[in-house]
Structures are given as structure tokens and as C-alpha cells.
Amino acid sequence: MNRRTFLTVAAALAAVRPVTAFAQAMTVGFSQIGSESGWRAAETTVTRSEAQKRGITLRFNDAQQRQENQIRAIRTFVTQGVDAILLAPVVATGWTAVLREAKQANIPVVLLDRNIEGNEDLYLTAVTPDSVHEGNVAGEWLVRQAGSKQVNVVELQGTVGASVATDRKRGFDQAIAGHGNIRVLRSQTGDFTRAKGKEVMESFIKAENGGRNIGAVYAHNDDMMVGAIQAMKDAGLKPGQDILTVSVDGVPDIFRAIAAGEANATVELTPNMAGPAFDLLTAFKANGTAPPKWIKTESKLYTAENEPMKEYEARRGLGY
Ligand code: GZL
């Protein structure tokens, strides 16, 4: 290597070294909601690998979907003096006091995958989807499928009080408004889990003439839809054929169901929100670069036209 090239490479490394060096030393606390869905499990797996890639020490807490456990975990991270905190807030309210404590300790907080109400001064940024848009995409797909046909919908909502559940419902309702032929017959929470999604769908089927009144299911996540598909098959119904399905996340099993003709559409959500969060935290800590208040992740619709088994294979290795 000649002297000129050597100097160029050395200069480039010197420019990168401080940020990389700082990332090596960073310790981040992650208050994770739980493992209620395949998507959430993937988010945890990806967060661990993204931290490892950057030499970041991750302190992980699984709150078993209970806000009080998340609040306790955040307090522990503050006591430990971590450099930053990632928070996936199970519900949108009740965070002011504990986030004030993190702010007083000068520990930046980044929200992952769900939002909180107000308190924008208490977190550095939010890496989340536009969940109203996710609901719009799902509703607009159903409007296109329905045409002028009467379609009665049953809705499996996410966790009560979660920002994404409120917003996915709002977005879907916005999309079908003005289309009198599409009506939501029943809407109930399945808490984002397969088991609860199956249980609630069984009750919808019983209440709606053995499911014969139901023309479509909208689930706020694929896991509840996978449970609902099982309930429909157990009742002798044909999900994906007699009853259209649309849900959110893009987990591998929904692509397998689409390929099998048992589901119709999903709105993809990346499980990698921690990568962008770690990078903006590293820049913020190294030179005070303030990130935008919202890092919005993409929402892409997938149907049987998008080679579902190829999509299934592509995601299987991602920690779902
Ligand atoms: C969405 C995320 C949701 C997923 C579910 O950003 O909060 O939580 O859609 C998960 O699978 O339970």
C-alpha cells in the first residue's frame, strides 16, 4: 500500500473510530413488552443481533405484557446508569412519571414499535410504523376486493390501549367509510395472541350463524389471524376463499397460509427497529446529533401475487 493510500485509509478510520469506539462502550436497557406474537419474538432476536453487531451491551427485560413490569425495568435501568433506554410501550398512557425520572438522570429514551400519548419532551424519538396508514392499507385492500358486494367484517383488535390497536382500527374505519356495502359486524380484542385470536373468532362464528354471515376478517396482527384461521377451519369454513382475511406484520406463517389459499393479505412491519435506534443513539451520544422525533417504518401490502412461499423462506431466518 503506497503512502498516499495509507493516509487516506487512516484518515477514514480516524473519522469513523470515535463513533464506533463509543458504540463499543454503550450499555442500553431494553424494556420489551413480552413475546405475545411471532413478530415480537423476531423484534427481540433482531434487537439482540443489532446490539451485538455494534458492540453495544444490551440489558433486556421481558415485561410479560404488564406495564408495571416495564415501569419497574425502566427504574432499574436508571439506577444502573445505562447510557440509553429502548421502550416498546405496551399501552399509550401511564408513562409520564417514570420517563421524567429517566430524563432527570439524563438518559435518552427511544420508543420502539408503539407510541405513547403526549410527553414528546420525555423521549428522544420513536421508531414506529404509521399504524393509521397500516389500517388504511388493509381497509383499502378490502374495498377493492369487495367491489359492490355486501361484505360483513369481524375485527380482531390488538391489546386494549395500545397505540397500534387504536390506530389500526381508526385507519381501517377511515378506509371503509363511504362504502356502505362493507360493515364491521363485531370487533373485539384478541390481545395480539394466536390463542386469544382463535377463541374470539370461535365466539364470532357461533354468534354469526356458524360464520355464514361473515365475509371477511380484519386482524390487527397476523398471529391473531393464524388463530382465527384455525377456528374457521375447525368450523368447516374456508378462510381465504369464503371468508377474506387481511392482517398486519408479515410474519412467515401468514405467508404460508396465503400460499395455501387460507389467507389473502398482510401489511408488512419490519422487526428491525433497534438498528436505526442504535445508530441514532450512537450519533446523539457521540456528537449531540438530535434525530427527528419520528423514524417511520414502511408498510407494504403482500398478497398471493407476491410469491408468498419465497417471502416465507426469506423471513424464516429472521428470528420469528
Ligand atoms: C406493532 C407492534 C405489534 C405487532 C404485534 O408495531 O406493536 O405488537 O403488530 C405485536 O404482533 O404484538
Side-chain angles (χ1 to χ4, degrees):
M1 182 190 291
N2 65 44
R3 179 171 162 66
R4 182 178 162 70
T5 312
F6 174 77
L7 286 177
T8 314
V9 169
L13 281 176
V16 172
R17 196 174 53 76
V19 175
T20 313
F22 190 90
Q24 301 293 339
M26 200 152 71
T27 297
V28 177
F30 179 20
S31 171
Q32 175 60 297
I33 291 173
S35 52
E36 72 283 358
S37 69
W39 183 89
R40 178 81 45 203
E43 183 187 55
T44 295
T45 303
V46 170
T47 300
R48 290 184 192 281
S49 63
E50 292 296 314
Q52 202 168 31
K53 265 191 233 170
R54 295 167 174 80
I56 289 172
T57 301
L58 189 72
R59 297 224 171 111
F60 177 82
N61 179 273
D62 176 330
Q64 312 285 321
Q65 282 192 275
R66 299 170 67 87
Q67 182 175 30
E68 61 269 28
N69 292 343
Q70 292 201 278
I71 291 170
R72 192 175 305 114
I74 293 167
R75 290 207 161 107
T76 304
F77 295 145
V78 170
T79 309
Q80 291 169 342
V82 297
D83 297 295
I85 292 171
L86 300 183
L87 168 63
V90 59
V91 291
T93 55
W95 301 99
T96 307
V98 72
L99 292 184
R100 274 216 185 104
E101 292 165 31
K103 188 171 178 97
Q104 277 152 7
N106 211 12
I107 299 174
V109 174
V110 174
L111 304 182
L112 291 193
D113 80 77
R114 294 185 190 178
N115 249 311
I116 65 174
E117 271 174 25
N119 292 310
E120 290 213 351
D121 59 322
L122 298 182
Y123 60 88
L124 182 65
T125 185
V127 184
T128 72
D130 176 343
S131 295
V132 174
H133 176 62
E134 291 173 321
N136 292 161
V137 172
E140 285 154 10
W141 173 83
L142 186 60
V143 166
R144 292 194 298 274
Q145 302 309 309
S148 58
K149 282 199 310 287
Q150 176 65 35
V151 178
N152 293 331
V153 187
V154 291
E155 179 180 23
L156 294 166
Q157 294 186 35
T159 300
V160 176
S163 64
V164 287
T166 310
D167 290 348
R168 285 174 184 168
K169 175 164 187 44
R170 180 179 304 126
F172 185 83
D173 290 346
Q174 281 173 359
I176 66 171
H179 298 273
N181 58 313
I182 302 176
R183 197 161 61 93
V184 177
L185 287 179
R186 294 174 186 274
S187 181
Q188 194 180 322
T189 182
D191 212 13
F192 283 129
T193 70
R194 292 189 182 200
K196 197 88 174 88
K198 180 171 185 286
E199 187 188 308
V200 174
M201 189 67 207
E202 285 163 351
S203 70
F204 287 163
I205 289 167
K206 272 199 194 81
E208 291 300 340
N209 189 18
R212 281 178 285 280
N213 298 350
I214 300 170
V217 185
Y218 168 47
H220 292 183
N221 83 334
D222 294 339
D223 279 67
M224 292 189 290
M225 186 59 83
V226 169
I229 287 167
Q230 192 54 55
M232 287 185 265
K233 289 166 70 175
D234 292 349
L237 300 166
K238 292 199 184 92
Q241 318 284 327
D242 306 340
I243 301 180
L244 297 175
T245 78
V246 59
S247 48
V248 185
D249 278 352
V251 301
D253 282 349
I254 202 68
F255 287 105
R256 198 162 49 175
I258 291 172
E262 295 178 348
N264 302 103
T266 185
V267 182
E268 183 188 41
L269 176 71
T270 175
N272 183 5
M273 299 189 187
F278 288 141
D279 290 343
L280 65 88
L281 277 167
T282 302
F284 177 69
K285 285 281 188 178
N287 47 42
T289 313
K293 208 64 193 174
W294 183 17
I295 311 287
K296 185 166 60 172
T297 61
E298 294 305 307
S299 310
K300 185 178 171 203
L301 182 79
Y302 285 86
T303 66
E305 291 159 24
N306 303 103
E307 297 185 88
M309 277 319 284
K310 214 169 111 195
E311 296 301 336
Y312 169 77
E313 289 304 337
R315 285 166 178 73
R316 280 215 314 160
L318 286 183
Y320 285 99

